[in-house]
Amino acid sequence: MLVLSRKKGESILIGEHIELTVLEVVGDTVKLGIKAPKEVGLLRKELYVSVEEMNMTAGDSAITASELKDQFKNLKKK
């Protein structure tokens, strides 16, 4: 991992098209501004990890597709 120190208002470039700028530092929170092409996906890491964990858990589920359909039907009836 590359570690850099930046001050408020300073930026780093990732490649030619992605720019990260330090907008604000308050206590242990850093507010970043990100300029990137629309085709570049940006996600908070904790959100990505959460979805990944849910997908892994779903893969281990003992419920069958038929049972899942029945549960959806029951939800619609309510």
Side-chain angles (χ1 to χ4, degrees):
M1 174 188 302
L2 173 65
V3 179
L4 299 171
S5 296
R6 301 277 70 200
K7 295 178 183 174
K8 182 179 174 183
E10 293 182 335
S11 300
I12 63 169
L13 296 173
I14 301 172
E16 294 181 21
H17 305 291
I18 301 173
E19 180 179 358
L20 298 175
T21 303
V22 177
L23 301 176
E24 182 178 277
V25 180
V26 177
D28 61 350
T29 301
V30 177
K31 186 180 286 187
L32 300 172
I34 303 167
K35 290 181 184 175
K38 290 181 180 180
E39 63 270 12
V40 174
L42 298 172
L43 285 175
R44 290 179 291 139
K45 184 176 180 179
E46 63 271 21
L47 178 60
Y48 178 84
V49 169
S50 174
V51 170
E52 188 176 54
E53 288 173 357
M54 286 191 309
N55 285 340
M56 290 178 71
T57 301
D60 295 337
S61 176
I63 193 167
T64 65
S66 175
E67 291 170 330
L68 187 59
K69 283 182 183 177
D70 290 341
Q71 287 185 6
F72 280 123
K73 287 178 185 174
N74 289 336
L75 286 174
K76 286 183 177 180
K77 291 179 182 176
K78 292 183 179 181

